[in-house]
Amino acid sequence: MTNIISNRLEGRSAVITGGASGIGLATARRLAAEGAHVVIADIDPASGERAAAEVGGIFVRVDVTNEEEVKNLYQVTFDTYGSVDIAFNNAGISPADDASILETGIDAWRRVQDVNLTSVYYCCKYALPFMQRQGKGSIINTASFVAVMGAATSQISYSASKGGVLAMSRELGVEFARQGIRVNALCPGPVNTPLLKELFAKDPEKAARRLVHIPLGRFAEPEELAAAVAFLASDDSSFMTANTFLVDGGISGAYVTPQ
Ligand code: NAD
């Protein structure tokens, strides 16, 4: 994938929630390749252990909706590596029962808010004190392009949760800027994860309906998001905070797309 890998993250610790799969796993590989000590934080122990072994890091089983488990995650990171330098708050779900507001029940609404938004509140709340003591740190929260655009193919709680992640990241970026801590929101466009591939292989019309809106004419690969996270994690982005970092193939900038 990447021909030139630098060592710009040498010796830094990086906690990645949802690090066992998709964007999180690709990022674990990338950050480790750039010299970071990676902590895979995931609810799935089998794939989590596998990912940690692959990148030479550690696995911490955590349900990001559980405050005590999240608190423990950063303590374990600090106890193991002596610092909490990078927090990539990335775990998220998009279940089928979260759709149009007219058919989405309160249980689905709350589950998505808990996993996608409240989790980011916990992760930032408990990563920040370590970063304050160090006087430095980089937090990257995974929002989505749907935080800045509306979709007629609605996932109402998901979109609302990502809007919340974006607003929270902006505010934290401003609040902690003068303490050496940067907080940015990563807003991916649709990414070629196993779930998306399966869904769209079954239904090419569904895929086409989305692809037409993407100027680059394809979905992103997880490695392309990982490269963006590595940039935001590193000092190469030292003048960026409270940023809406769109990695979306041009979707959010498009009116009419190429044929
Ligand atoms: P994925 O399903 O491949 O991976 C998500 C990981 O999160 C899994 O390993 C899962 O076990 C873990 N997880 C789920 N619930 C958890 C919990 N309660 N506690 C701890 N871990 C938990 O997903 P992905 O496609 O890589 O998505 C990663 C992030 O990117 C999500 O926040 C998602 O909303 C966002 N995103 C994805 C896309 C896309 O097209 N794939 C687009 C925009 C934003």
Side-chain angles (χ1 to χ4, degrees):
M1 179 247 344
T2 312
N3 299 323
I4 307 159
I5 293 277
S6 73
N7 60 354
R8 62 186 167 168
L9 303 178
E10 196 66 54
R12 296 190 197 177
S13 64
V15 182
I16 304 178
T17 71
S21 172
I23 297 169
L25 177 57
T27 302
R29 291 176 176 139
R30 175 71 188 237
L31 300 192
E34 297 209 32
H37 302 297
V38 170
V39 178
I40 303 282
D42 206 285
I43 201 165
D44 180 348
S47 52
E49 293 279 11
R50 204 164 43 239
E54 185 194 324
V55 302
I58 61 166
F59 169 67
V60 179
R61 197 229 162 246
V62 55
D63 177 347
V64 290
T65 66
N66 183 308
E67 184 167 7
E68 282 309 310
E69 290 182 20
V70 171
K71 203 170 167 183
N72 174 61
L73 167 65
Y74 298 102
Q75 190 60 53
V76 169
T77 301
F78 181 80
D79 292 345
T80 308
Y81 295 120
S83 62
V84 178
D85 299 307
I86 299 157
F88 180 33
N89 302 320
N90 163 76
I93 54 170
S94 57
D97 56 355
D98 174 26
S100 162
I101 194 169
L102 299 177
E103 62 219 29
T104 301
I106 194 66
D107 290 347
W109 167 272
R110 286 199 176 121
R111 193 165 72 254
V112 171
Q113 294 296 316
D114 277 353
V115 179
N116 290 9
L117 179 57
T118 309
S119 69
V120 177
Y121 156 79
Y122 286 145
C123 288
C124 293
K125 188 178 178 69
Y126 291 112
L128 276 162
F130 290 98
M131 296 179 171
Q132 283 181 301
R133 286 196 286 275
Q134 295 159 191
K136 72 180 175 76
S138 175
I139 296 179
I140 300 114
N141 296 325
T142 305
S144 166
F145 71 108
V146 300
V148 301
M149 309 181 66
T153 50
S154 184
Q155 297 177 287
I156 193 63
S157 186
Y158 182 89
S159 295
S161 73
K162 295 304 187 179
V165 170
L166 177 60
M168 178 163 41
S169 306
R170 185 189 300 129
E171 186 141 306
L172 295 176
V174 174
E175 182 180 354
F176 294 97
R178 298 200 187 174
Q179 299 183 41
I181 302 164
R182 299 185 296 108
V183 186
N184 292 294
L186 177 78
C187 298
V191 185
N192 224 346
T193 53
L195 195 83
L196 188 121
K197 267 187 214 162
E198 192 192 305
L199 190 75
F200 294 150
K202 268 195 231 144
D203 192 342
E205 229 171 86
K206 255 189 174 168
R209 176 143 190 223
R210 286 156 177 82
L211 278 167
V212 72
H213 295 289
I214 310 176
L216 286 181
R218 63 176 176 83
F219 299 123
E221 295 302 324
E223 291 74 19
E224 294 177 290
L225 277 305
V229 179
F231 169 67
L232 291 173
S234 79
D235 298 341
D236 283 346
S237 58
S238 52
F239 202 56
M240 290 177 58
T241 198
N243 193 276
T244 303
F245 202 71
L246 284 150
V247 182
D248 68 352
I251 302 172
S252 58
Y255 173 34
V256 179
T257 55
Q259 285 193 312

